[in-house]
Amino acid sequence: MNYQWLNQASACPIVEFHDVRTERFKSDSYLSLVEQRLTAPLVAAGGVDLGQFMVRGHPDRIVQMRGFASMLARRKALTDFHAGEDWAAQRRAVSDLVKDNKVMLTRSIVPGDGIRAIRSGGPLLALVSEVRFAEQIGNYHLWLRLLLRKAGMDPIAAFATLEAVNDVPAVPVVRNRSQHVALMRADGRGPDLPPELRAMLRFAPEVLTLEPTHALVW
């Protein structure tokens, strides 16, 4: 089975998932700093704010998503952002608030017309999977989407690890892992995977309920 990656002409085919662990009780301070001081400069440099989310049940864990029109656009936007006065002024404050930040660099699979942030409300359910072999991503996506559709939880967006050299050293990304992310409305916990799908994975999928901090979904 095959599937089609999004065309580079799509709105945001390149998506970064930032899995941020803040210092204890510092998540509100971190969110405030990002929203008030850093989001606007990143957008001005060419990035797209696709949302910031608190992880339900994990008060010190935040998921941030930001998109780019291409890898070239990502390099330019992040290079300009990190060279700017806003980042220089807030870099120390960010490092004092953040314990760890794992960044997954992905390319979007659905929706077919690209990822665009829309003002709306409600939590999302994120199903994060890691396949054993990179070449399994296509089949895993298709079979998972079929399963979710039958359960009435067709993903509103799906992403997979972008197998490319990270050309922005200032933003280290997770390497040597082939991951898949499906985002759905948080109407349930998601169906249990059948043995055929579980056999494709290194571990059981991580299921996260994401509460948008400024109501951005797709």
Side-chain angles (χ1 to χ4, degrees), residues 28-66:
D28 287 343
S29 298
Y30 174 76
L31 284 170
S32 178
L33 175 63
V34 170
E35 292 175 358
Q36 296 180 19
R37 303 285 185 179
L38 299 178
T39 296
L42 176 65
V43 172
V48 179
D49 174 25
L50 294 176
Q52 296 181 147
F53 307 86
M54 295 291 299
V55 179
R56 185 181 294 174
H58 301 272
D60 300 320
R61 187 175 181 183
I62 296 164
V63 170
Q64 295 172 291
M65 298 176 58
R66 54 195 195 189

mmCIF file of all heavy atoms in Angstrom, residues 28-66:
data_model
loop_
_atom_site.group_PDB
_atom_site.id
_atom_site.type_symbol
_atom_site.label_atom_id
_atom_site.label_comp_id
_atom_site.label_asym_id
_atom_site.label_seq_id
_atom_site.Cartn_x
_atom_site.Cartn_y
_atom_site.Cartn_z
ATOM 1 N N ASP A 28 3.303 27.601 33.601
ATOM 2 C CA ASP A 28 2.583 28.854 33.323
ATOM 3 C C ASP A 28 3.558 29.972 32.973
ATOM 4 O O ASP A 28 3.295 30.775 32.062
ATOM 5 C CB ASP A 28 1.732 29.259 34.522
ATOM 6 C CG ASP A 28 0.506 28.371 34.701
ATOM 7 O OD1 ASP A 28 0.140 27.669 33.732
ATOM 8 O OD2 ASP A 28 -0.081 28.368 35.807
ATOM 9 N N SER A 29 4.668 30.049 33.691
ATOM 10 C CA SER A 29 5.664 31.083 33.405
ATOM 11 C C SER A 29 6.265 30.882 32.017
ATOM 12 O O SER A 29 6.477 31.851 31.274
ATOM 13 C CB SER A 29 6.765 31.057 34.465
ATOM 14 O OG SER A 29 6.253 31.345 35.748
ATOM 15 N N TYR A 30 6.521 29.630 31.669
ATOM 16 C CA TYR A 30 7.084 29.342 30.346
ATOM 17 C C TYR A 30 6.098 29.711 29.245
ATOM 18 O O TYR A 30 6.462 30.365 28.257
ATOM 19 C CB TYR A 30 7.459 27.875 30.251
ATOM 20 C CG TYR A 30 7.919 27.464 28.872
ATOM 21 C CD1 TYR A 30 9.186 27.810 28.412
ATOM 22 C CD2 TYR A 30 7.081 26.760 28.023
ATOM 23 C CE1 TYR A 30 9.603 27.458 27.137
ATOM 24 C CE2 TYR A 30 7.489 26.400 26.753
ATOM 25 C CZ TYR A 30 8.747 26.751 26.312
ATOM 26 O OH TYR A 30 9.151 26.402 25.048
ATOM 27 N N LEU A 31 4.846 29.314 29.389
ATOM 28 C CA LEU A 31 3.833 29.632 28.379
ATOM 29 C C LEU A 31 3.671 31.139 28.223
ATOM 30 O O LEU A 31 3.556 31.658 27.106
ATOM 31 C CB LEU A 31 2.503 28.994 28.752
ATOM 32 C CG LEU A 31 2.383 27.493 28.510
ATOM 33 C CD1 LEU A 31 1.115 26.953 29.158
ATOM 34 C CD2 LEU A 31 2.392 27.188 27.019
ATOM 35 N N SER A 32 3.653 31.841 29.342
ATOM 36 C CA SER A 32 3.514 33.294 29.298
ATOM 37 C C SER A 32 4.683 33.932 28.557
ATOM 38 O O SER A 32 4.499 34.830 27.723
ATOM 39 C CB SER A 32 3.416 33.852 30.721
ATOM 40 O OG SER A 32 3.335 35.261 30.706
ATOM 41 N N LEU A 33 5.885 33.454 28.829
ATOM 42 C CA LEU A 33 7.071 33.996 28.169
ATOM 43 C C LEU A 33 7.008 33.754 26.666
ATOM 44 O O LEU A 33 7.260 34.662 25.859
ATOM 45 C CB LEU A 33 8.325 33.354 28.753
ATOM 46 C CG LEU A 33 9.654 33.723 28.088
ATOM 47 C CD1 LEU A 33 9.936 35.209 28.244
ATOM 48 C CD2 LEU A 33 10.797 32.894 28.680
ATOM 49 N N VAL A 34 6.670 32.529 26.274
ATOM 50 C CA VAL A 34 6.616 32.199 24.849
ATOM 51 C C VAL A 34 5.544 33.014 24.138
ATOM 52 O O VAL A 34 5.778 33.595 23.078
ATOM 53 C CB VAL A 34 6.377 30.689 24.662
ATOM 54 C CG1 VAL A 34 6.083 30.370 23.200
ATOM 55 C CG2 VAL A 34 7.590 29.896 25.135
ATOM 56 N N GLU A 35 4.355 33.066 24.727
ATOM 57 C CA GLU A 35 3.237 33.742 24.064
ATOM 58 C C GLU A 35 3.437 35.256 23.995
ATOM 59 O O GLU A 35 3.063 35.890 23.006
ATOM 60 C CB GLU A 35 1.935 33.397 24.782
ATOM 61 C CG GLU A 35 1.537 31.933 24.616
ATOM 62 C CD GLU A 35 0.314 31.554 25.421
ATOM 63 O OE1 GLU A 35 -0.213 32.432 26.144
ATOM 64 O OE2 GLU A 35 -0.124 30.389 25.345
ATOM 65 N N GLN A 36 4.046 35.840 25.017
ATOM 66 C CA GLN A 36 4.189 37.286 25.057
ATOM 67 C C GLN A 36 5.460 37.795 24.380
ATOM 68 O O GLN A 36 5.485 38.926 23.881
ATOM 69 C CB GLN A 36 4.147 37.774 26.505
ATOM 70 C CG GLN A 36 2.826 37.532 27.200
ATOM 71 C CD GLN A 36 2.809 38.037 28.628
ATOM 72 O OE1 GLN A 36 3.630 38.865 29.023
ATOM 73 N NE2 GLN A 36 1.885 37.536 29.427
ATOM 74 N N ARG A 37 6.518 36.964 24.368
ATOM 75 C CA ARG A 37 7.824 37.468 23.926
ATOM 76 C C ARG A 37 8.391 36.783 22.683
ATOM 77 O O ARG A 37 9.179 37.398 21.957
ATOM 78 C CB ARG A 37 8.841 37.306 25.060
ATOM 79 C CG ARG A 37 8.456 37.976 26.356
ATOM 80 C CD ARG A 37 8.637 39.482 26.293
ATOM 81 N NE ARG A 37 8.370 40.100 27.578
ATOM 82 C CZ ARG A 37 8.480 41.405 27.810
ATOM 83 N NH1 ARG A 37 8.885 42.213 26.836
ATOM 84 N NH2 ARG A 37 8.208 41.904 28.994
ATOM 85 N N LEU A 38 8.020 35.521 22.438
ATOM 86 C CA LEU A 38 8.749 34.755 21.421
ATOM 87 C C LEU A 38 7.914 34.316 20.221
ATOM 88 O O LEU A 38 8.469 34.085 19.151
ATOM 89 C CB LEU A 38 9.400 33.526 22.073
ATOM 90 C CG LEU A 38 10.429 33.839 23.163
ATOM 91 C CD1 LEU A 38 10.957 32.549 23.769
ATOM 92 C CD2 LEU A 38 11.567 34.692 22.613
ATOM 93 N N THR A 39 6.608 34.172 20.379
ATOM 94 C CA THR A 39 5.792 33.703 19.258
ATOM 95 C C THR A 39 5.778 34.710 18.118
ATOM 96 O O THR A 39 5.980 34.350 16.953
ATOM 97 C CB THR A 39 4.355 33.403 19.717
ATOM 98 O OG1 THR A 39 4.376 32.337 20.657
ATOM 99 C CG2 THR A 39 3.492 32.991 18.532
ATOM 100 N N ALA A 40 5.541 35.977 18.430
ATOM 101 C CA ALA A 40 5.474 36.996 17.379
ATOM 102 C C ALA A 40 6.773 37.110 16.585
ATOM 103 O O ALA A 40 6.743 37.160 15.348
ATOM 104 C CB ALA A 40 5.079 38.350 17.975
ATOM 105 N N PRO A 41 7.954 37.119 17.231
ATOM 106 C CA PRO A 41 9.198 37.164 16.452
ATOM 107 C C PRO A 41 9.398 35.942 15.558
ATOM 108 O O PRO A 41 9.904 36.071 14.439
ATOM 109 C CB PRO A 41 10.290 37.241 17.533
ATOM 110 C CG PRO A 41 9.611 37.822 18.718
ATOM 111 C CD PRO A 41 8.209 37.313 18.677
ATOM 112 N N LEU A 42 8.995 34.767 16.033
ATOM 113 C CA LEU A 42 9.129 33.573 15.198
ATOM 114 C C LEU A 42 8.226 33.667 13.978
ATOM 115 O O LEU A 42 8.641 33.356 12.854
ATOM 116 C CB LEU A 42 8.786 32.325 16.007
ATOM 117 C CG LEU A 42 8.804 31.015 15.224
ATOM 118 C CD1 LEU A 42 10.221 30.700 14.739
ATOM 119 C CD2 LEU A 42 8.264 29.864 16.063
ATOM 120 N N VAL A 43 6.989 34.116 14.176
ATOM 121 C CA VAL A 43 6.062 34.274 13.055
ATOM 122 C C VAL A 43 6.566 35.341 12.088
ATOM 123 O O VAL A 43 6.499 35.181 10.870
ATOM 124 C CB VAL A 43 4.650 34.622 13.576
ATOM 125 C CG1 VAL A 43 3.720 34.994 12.427
ATOM 126 C CG2 VAL A 43 4.067 33.443 14.355
ATOM 127 N N ALA A 44 7.108 36.427 12.634
ATOM 128 C CA ALA A 44 7.646 37.481 11.776
ATOM 129 C C ALA A 44 8.814 36.982 10.942
ATOM 130 O O ALA A 44 9.046 37.441 9.818
ATOM 131 C CB ALA A 44 8.083 38.675 12.629
ATOM 132 N N ALA A 45 9.560 35.993 11.460
ATOM 133 C CA ALA A 45 10.708 35.449 10.731
ATOM 134 C C ALA A 45 10.295 34.431 9.676
ATOM 135 O O ALA A 45 11.124 34.023 8.859
ATOM 136 C CB ALA A 45 11.683 34.800 11.720
ATOM 137 N N GLY A 46 9.009 34.003 9.695
ATOM 138 C CA GLY A 46 8.539 33.071 8.671
ATOM 139 C C GLY A 46 7.990 31.765 9.191
ATOM 140 O O GLY A 46 7.523 30.929 8.419
ATOM 141 N N GLY A 47 8.024 31.542 10.511
ATOM 142 C CA GLY A 47 7.435 30.339 11.077
ATOM 143 C C GLY A 47 5.933 30.505 11.241
ATOM 144 O O GLY A 47 5.399 31.616 11.146
ATOM 145 N N VAL A 48 5.223 29.408 11.485
ATOM 146 C CA VAL A 48 3.774 29.429 11.697
ATOM 147 C C VAL A 48 3.466 28.792 13.039
ATOM 148 O O VAL A 48 3.897 27.663 13.313
ATOM 149 C CB VAL A 48 3.035 28.670 10.572
ATOM 150 C CG1 VAL A 48 1.524 28.675 10.831
ATOM 151 C CG2 VAL A 48 3.331 29.289 9.216
ATOM 152 N N ASP A 49 2.757 29.512 13.889
ATOM 153 C CA ASP A 49 2.358 28.993 15.187
ATOM 154 C C ASP A 49 1.163 28.065 14.991
ATOM 155 O O ASP A 49 0.078 28.503 14.643
ATOM 156 C CB ASP A 49 1.982 30.155 16.108
ATOM 157 C CG ASP A 49 1.425 29.692 17.437
ATOM 158 O OD1 ASP A 49 1.741 28.562 17.848
ATOM 159 O OD2 ASP A 49 0.667 30.459 18.057
ATOM 160 N N LEU A 50 1.362 26.756 15.194
ATOM 161 C CA LEU A 50 0.291 25.783 15.029
ATOM 162 C C LEU A 50 -0.329 25.371 16.357
ATOM 163 O O LEU A 50 -1.159 24.475 16.399
ATOM 164 C CB LEU A 50 0.821 24.536 14.300
ATOM 165 C CG LEU A 50 1.255 24.767 12.855
ATOM 166 C CD1 LEU A 50 1.855 23.496 12.268
ATOM 167 C CD2 LEU A 50 0.090 25.249 11.997
ATOM 168 N N GLY A 51 0.076 26.013 17.432
ATOM 169 C CA GLY A 51 -0.584 25.740 18.695
ATOM 170 C C GLY A 51 0.355 25.362 19.813
ATOM 171 O O GLY A 51 1.438 24.823 19.598
ATOM 172 N N GLN A 52 -0.084 25.664 21.028
ATOM 173 C CA GLN A 52 0.607 25.259 22.246
ATOM 174 C C GLN A 52 -0.402 24.561 23.133
ATOM 175 O O GLN A 52 -1.536 25.016 23.262
ATOM 176 C CB GLN A 52 1.197 26.475 22.962
ATOM 177 C CG GLN A 52 2.258 27.173 22.151
ATOM 178 C CD GLN A 52 2.858 28.358 22.890
ATOM 179 O OE1 GLN A 52 4.024 28.639 22.728
ATOM 180 N NE2 GLN A 52 2.080 29.046 23.682
ATOM 181 N N PHE A 53 0.013 23.463 23.742
ATOM 182 C CA PHE A 53 -0.924 22.619 24.463
ATOM 183 C C PHE A 53 -0.332 22.158 25.788
ATOM 184 O O PHE A 53 0.828 21.754 25.859
ATOM 185 C CB PHE A 53 -1.257 21.359 23.636
ATOM 186 C CG PHE A 53 -1.724 21.653 22.243
ATOM 187 C CD1 PHE A 53 -0.801 21.828 21.214
ATOM 188 C CD2 PHE A 53 -3.073 21.752 21.948
ATOM 189 C CE1 PHE A 53 -1.224 22.094 19.921
ATOM 190 C CE2 PHE A 53 -3.505 22.013 20.658
ATOM 191 C CZ PHE A 53 -2.578 22.190 19.641
ATOM 192 N N MET A 54 -1.144 22.196 26.824
ATOM 193 C CA MET A 54 -0.817 21.527 28.071
ATOM 194 C C MET A 54 -1.202 20.063 27.918
ATOM 195 O O MET A 54 -2.211 19.736 27.293
ATOM 196 C CB MET A 54 -1.585 22.145 29.234
ATOM 197 C CG MET A 54 -1.217 23.590 29.537
ATOM 198 S SD MET A 54 0.457 23.751 30.205
ATOM 199 C CE MET A 54 0.342 22.790 31.714
ATOM 200 N N VAL A 55 -0.402 19.158 28.492
ATOM 201 C CA VAL A 55 -0.709 17.733 28.455
ATOM 202 C C VAL A 55 -1.491 17.383 29.711
ATOM 203 O O VAL A 55 -0.984 17.534 30.830
ATOM 204 C CB VAL A 55 0.575 16.891 28.359
ATOM 205 C CG1 VAL A 55 0.226 15.400 28.342
ATOM 206 C CG2 VAL A 55 1.362 17.271 27.112
ATOM 207 N N ARG A 56 -2.727 16.945 29.510
ATOM 208 C CA ARG A 56 -3.598 16.643 30.645
ATOM 209 C C ARG A 56 -2.962 15.571 31.538
ATOM 210 O O ARG A 56 -2.484 14.541 31.052
ATOM 211 C CB ARG A 56 -4.962 16.165 30.148
ATOM 212 C CG ARG A 56 -5.989 15.929 31.257
ATOM 213 C CD ARG A 56 -7.299 15.442 30.688
ATOM 214 N NE ARG A 56 -7.952 16.463 29.871
ATOM 215 C CZ ARG A 56 -9.062 16.246 29.163
ATOM 216 N NH1 ARG A 56 -9.624 15.036 29.159
ATOM 217 N NH2 ARG A 56 -9.605 17.215 28.442
ATOM 218 N N GLY A 57 -2.955 15.831 32.820
ATOM 219 C CA GLY A 57 -2.377 14.887 33.772
ATOM 220 C C GLY A 57 -0.886 15.069 33.987
ATOM 221 O O GLY A 57 -0.296 14.381 34.823
ATOM 222 N N HIS A 58 -0.275 15.984 33.234
ATOM 223 C CA HIS A 58 1.172 16.240 33.353
ATOM 224 C C HIS A 58 1.371 17.757 33.417
ATOM 225 O O HIS A 58 1.629 18.399 32.403
ATOM 226 C CB HIS A 58 1.929 15.647 32.167
ATOM 227 C CG HIS A 58 1.760 14.173 32.019
ATOM 228 N ND1 HIS A 58 2.577 13.259 32.657
ATOM 229 C CD2 HIS A 58 0.844 13.446 31.327
ATOM 230 C CE1 HIS A 58 2.182 12.040 32.352
ATOM 231 N NE2 HIS A 58 1.143 12.122 31.554
ATOM 232 N N PRO A 59 1.260 18.345 34.609
ATOM 233 C CA PRO A 59 1.243 19.806 34.726
ATOM 234 C C PRO A 59 2.518 20.509 34.276
ATOM 235 O O PRO A 59 2.487 21.715 34.016
ATOM 236 C CB PRO A 59 0.987 20.034 36.223
ATOM 237 C CG PRO A 59 1.393 18.757 36.885
ATOM 238 C CD PRO A 59 1.093 17.680 35.911
ATOM 239 N N ASP A 60 3.625 19.782 34.180
ATOM 240 C CA ASP A 60 4.881 20.410 33.768
ATOM 241 C C ASP A 60 5.287 20.000 32.349
ATOM 242 O O ASP A 60 6.453 20.146 31.965
ATOM 243 C CB ASP A 60 6.004 20.034 34.750
ATOM 244 C CG ASP A 60 5.690 20.483 36.173
ATOM 245 O OD1 ASP A 60 5.159 21.585 36.336
ATOM 246 O OD2 ASP A 60 5.953 19.707 37.112
ATOM 247 N N ARG A 61 4.324 19.514 31.578
ATOM 248 C CA ARG A 61 4.618 19.074 30.210
ATOM 249 C C ARG A 61 3.793 19.875 29.213
ATOM 250 O O ARG A 61 2.578 20.017 29.374
ATOM 251 C CB ARG A 61 4.331 17.577 30.046
ATOM 252 C CG ARG A 61 4.767 16.992 28.711
ATOM 253 C CD ARG A 61 4.555 15.488 28.693
ATOM 254 N NE ARG A 61 4.993 14.904 27.441
ATOM 255 C CZ ARG A 61 4.875 13.607 27.142
ATOM 256 N NH1 ARG A 61 4.323 12.777 28.020
ATOM 257 N NH2 ARG A 61 5.301 13.151 25.978
ATOM 258 N N ILE A 62 4.451 20.390 28.192
ATOM 259 C CA ILE A 62 3.825 21.230 27.177
ATOM 260 C C ILE A 62 4.215 20.717 25.797
ATOM 261 O O ILE A 62 5.373 20.336 25.578
ATOM 262 C CB ILE A 62 4.285 22.704 27.327
ATOM 263 C CG1 ILE A 62 3.825 23.277 28.668
ATOM 264 C CG2 ILE A 62 3.777 23.567 26.170
ATOM 265 C CD1 ILE A 62 4.543 24.554 29.054
ATOM 266 N N VAL A 63 3.256 20.687 24.894
ATOM 267 C CA VAL A 63 3.533 20.356 23.495
ATOM 268 C C VAL A 63 3.332 21.615 22.662
ATOM 269 O O VAL A 63 2.276 22.250 22.730
ATOM 270 C CB VAL A 63 2.620 19.224 22.983
ATOM 271 C CG1 VAL A 63 2.757 19.068 21.468
ATOM 272 C CG2 VAL A 63 2.963 17.909 23.675
ATOM 273 N N GLN A 64 4.363 21.977 21.908
ATOM 274 C CA GLN A 64 4.287 23.112 20.988
ATOM 275 C C GLN A 64 4.450 22.597 19.567
ATOM 276 O O GLN A 64 5.238 21.692 19.301
ATOM 277 C CB GLN A 64 5.395 24.117 21.280
ATOM 278 C CG GLN A 64 5.294 24.781 22.630
ATOM 279 C CD GLN A 64 6.526 25.621 22.924
ATOM 280 O OE1 GLN A 64 7.613 25.102 23.121
ATOM 281 N NE2 GLN A 64 6.342 26.924 22.954
ATOM 282 N N MET A 65 3.693 23.174 18.655
ATOM 283 C CA MET A 65 3.796 22.797 17.250
ATOM 284 C C MET A 65 4.023 24.057 16.422
ATOM 285 O O MET A 65 3.319 25.047 16.593
ATOM 286 C CB MET A 65 2.523 22.088 16.789
ATOM 287 C CG MET A 65 2.252 20.790 17.520
ATOM 288 S SD MET A 65 0.677 20.040 17.032
ATOM 289 C CE MET A 65 0.956 19.865 15.273
ATOM 290 N N ARG A 66 5.016 24.002 15.547
ATOM 291 C CA ARG A 66 5.243 25.124 14.646
ATOM 292 C C ARG A 66 5.558 24.593 13.267
ATOM 293 O O ARG A 66 6.191 23.554 13.108
ATOM 294 C CB ARG A 66 6.337 26.050 15.169
ATOM 295 C CG ARG A 66 7.670 25.421 15.494
ATOM 296 C CD ARG A 66 8.507 26.377 16.333
ATOM 297 N NE ARG A 66 9.911 25.982 16.391
ATOM 298 C CZ ARG A 66 10.818 26.549 17.185
ATOM 299 N NH1 ARG A 66 10.451 27.545 17.982
ATOM 300 N NH2 ARG A 66 12.083 26.164 17.180
#
